[in-house]
Each structure stands twice: as structure tokens, then as C-alpha cells.
Amino acid sequence: MPLSTVSKLIAVSSCKGGVGKSTVALELAYHLRRRGHRVGLFDADVHGPSLPTQIPLGDVRITLAADGRSVQPLEHGGVQLMSFGWFSRLWSRRPAAEIRVRGPLATNLLQTTQWGDLDYLLIDSPPGTGDIPSQIARLPLHGAVAVTTPSRLSIDVVRGILFLRRLGVPVLALVENMASFRCDGCGKDHYPFGRGHAAGVLADVAAAEATDPPPAIPTFALPIVPDLGGASGDSSAAPRLDGASAPLESSLDALADALDRATCGDPPALLPHQLAFHEVPHWPTEMAMAEYVEQRVSVRA
């Protein structure tokens, strides 16, 4: 029996840190919730989780199932949440202790969380193309949202899009984050880093794949919103449950519409997916192993 039935399982990805991917994932999740969807958000970064900082829920404790093989998600503002940043508190006796776990546990935690029936489950994927993003790409994803910024340094998003497409993951949208800001004085939108970056990314993807014309990936520009740390920039403030600022809300609405259209009619994802019984973690055992490794490293230090 599946623990979860997810109508739209979507990864939010980037190939470079610092582009505000985690905040885009968070704001999109709460925007989808405001549209009436049942939404979950999974923070897949084992070594640098963002969600407990973005939504400070205090000293919460994850609840394990009686058999120790599944967990209950947390909830805030109607959105179901899970992150190793919260989960690790079950075994780490020192809040600042480094969590040493095996990479596959990121997707295993996703799959063994009791999400129930969801319309959207967003996965905030770690940057890059390493083990965890590769494992996420092999889940029954309906697609991915690629996040970049209008900067030459973020051209790595081309590598990320090529990586996803090579693994058969449809790239449903390209989000250009922190693209503009609205001046309080004149009320006009300004583009401090110029325009056209997203079109250039798609042209580079086409050149790398030797295709013409560029792939038909819809693009969206999200504005800088100061009280969110940049809509867009990484912020420790939880999203407003009554809606974001007008420019950001409009952009998120267009993005949500595109995701609805692109995934309409797709069969739901059932979780766990292709996870044999012997691969399902017994979480108390995993916690004991991680704590043992932590103690051994501390003794050596």
C-alpha cells in the first residue's frame, strides 16, 4: 500500500547555490496552497537544510510510526513539511552537531513520509548534479522548475537543465529570480542586471543539444521583494499566509498556471516508488548509526 498519492511531484532545482532556489520553492508552495491545493514541501538537502530556518517552528519533534519505518510530516499554514533539519533532532544531542548520513537517506525520507493525498509535492533539491539530485531525478517526477538569476555566474543553470533533460525529467519552467524591483518613489519596475538572460540560457541549452529552435520552456521573472530578503533572496521569515506582494503574487500565479497546464492529465505518483522492503530505512537503526559515527568523529577530534 502506498503511503502517499501525489498528483504533481515537482523538483525545484538549480545547479548553483545562492540563487534563492529554496525561497522560490517555499513561496511557490504557499502560493499553491492559497489557490486551494493540498501541498507538501520536502527539503532534500541533508548537509545544509534550509526549511527549519525559513519556517522556525521551535523545538519540534518528528513523530515516527510504531514500526519505525515511516514518519509524520510537520504542518504550517496548511502546507505539510519535512526536512532533515528537523528530523535529525531525533538523534543529535548537540544542536550544532554535523549530521553524517548516507546520501540515499534524503530520498528515502521523502518516500517514507506519510504525506497522504497531495495535489502538489515540491522537492527543494540541493544545488548541483551530485548523488542527491541524481536520486531525485529518478523518482517518478512530473517535472522540474529550474531557478537562476540574471548573472553570468549563474550560467551553471544550463548544466542543470541539460542534466535533468538527459535523465528524462521535463523542465516545466525556468525561473529568473531577483530579476527586477519596484521603486517606492516612482512606482516603476527596474531591471538592475539587464534583461534577456533567460532567453540566453535556453539558447545555450539548444547549442549544447545541437537543436534548433531552443526548447519551449516557459520563463518567469520574479522580483526582488525586500521584506522577503529578496523574494527571492534567502530569508528567515516565514511566508505571509495571506499572500505575497502584488508583483511577486502575479508572477507566482503565472508560474502556477504553467505547472497546472504542463502536468494536466498526468497519472499521480505513488510513494514509496520502487523501494524494496529491505531498502526501506528502519529509522531508529539509522539514527543509532549516525549518532555512533558522530561520537567516533568527536573522540578522534
Side-chain angles (χ1 to χ4, degrees), residues 9-289:
L9 182 62
I10 295 175
V12 181
S13 172
S14 72
C15 211
K16 187 169 186 67
V19 299
K21 166 189 57 64
S22 293
T23 307
V24 170
L26 183 73
E27 291 296 331
L28 177 59
Y30 279 87
H31 183 81
L32 291 168
R33 180 68 186 93
R34 289 192 293 272
R35 287 167 67 111
H37 294 299
R38 297 166 299 177
V39 181
L41 176 60
F42 180 73
D43 178 3
D45 198 329
V46 171
H47 304 292
S50 300
L51 204 47
T53 300
Q54 293 173 298
I55 302 185
L57 297 180
D59 189 23
V60 297
R61 307 273 303 177
I62 301 296
T63 302
L64 290 173
D67 64 359
R69 296 190 180 275
S70 63
V71 300
Q72 291 287 343
L74 301 176
E75 188 272 337
H76 175 265
V79 175
Q80 297 191 53
L81 308 167
M82 180 54 68
S83 169
F84 258 102
W86 288 310
F87 188 77
S88 63
R89 296 178 190 175
L90 287 176
W91 73 77
S92 179
R93 291 176 297 182
R94 293 179 292 132
E98 180 181 353
I99 303 304
R100 294 175 173 85
V101 295
R102 297 178 293 111
L105 289 185
T107 50
N108 286 350
L109 180 58
L110 167 71
Q111 298 220 62
T112 58
T113 297
Q114 297 182 13
W115 301 103
D117 294 335
L118 293 179
D119 299 315
Y120 278 92
L121 176 53
L122 302 184
I123 304 171
D124 180 7
S125 177
T129 56
D131 288 346
I132 295 177
S134 296
Q135 292 156 13
I136 290 171
R138 289 175 172 81
L139 293 171
L141 297 175
H142 295 90
V145 174
V147 180
T148 185
T149 56
S151 164
R152 291 180 61 189
L153 293 176
S154 63
I155 198 65
D156 282 345
V157 72
V158 174
R159 184 160 55 95
I161 292 174
L162 294 172
F163 163 77
L164 291 166
R165 287 164 65 88
R166 188 165 60 249
L167 293 177
V169 178
V171 180
L172 307 178
L174 172 61
V175 172
E176 188 176 2
N177 200 21
M178 297 180 274
S180 64
F181 70 92
R182 180 162 294 178
C183 176
D184 290 339
C186 66
K188 295 181 180 179
D189 291 331
H190 299 270
Y191 298 82
F193 309 109
R195 301 191 190 191
H197 176 75
V201 166
L202 297 183
D204 288 341
V205 170
E209 294 180 336
T211 58
D212 187 37
I217 300 174
T219 62
F220 303 88
L222 300 188
I224 297 170
V225 180
D227 56 354
L228 290 179
S232 307
D234 291 319
S235 169
S236 61
R240 288 188 295 270
L241 302 181
D242 58 349
S245 68
L248 178 58
E249 193 78 358
S250 175
S251 299
L252 290 173
D253 221 29
L255 174 58
D257 286 341
L259 297 181
D260 278 340
R261 289 192 300 269
T263 56
C264 180
D266 290 350
L270 303 180
L271 300 177
H273 172 72
Q274 295 181 351
L275 198 63
F277 180 79
H278 70 276
E279 297 175 309
V280 176
H282 182 251
W283 289 112
T285 301
E286 295 291 346
M287 289 185 280
M289 290 174 60

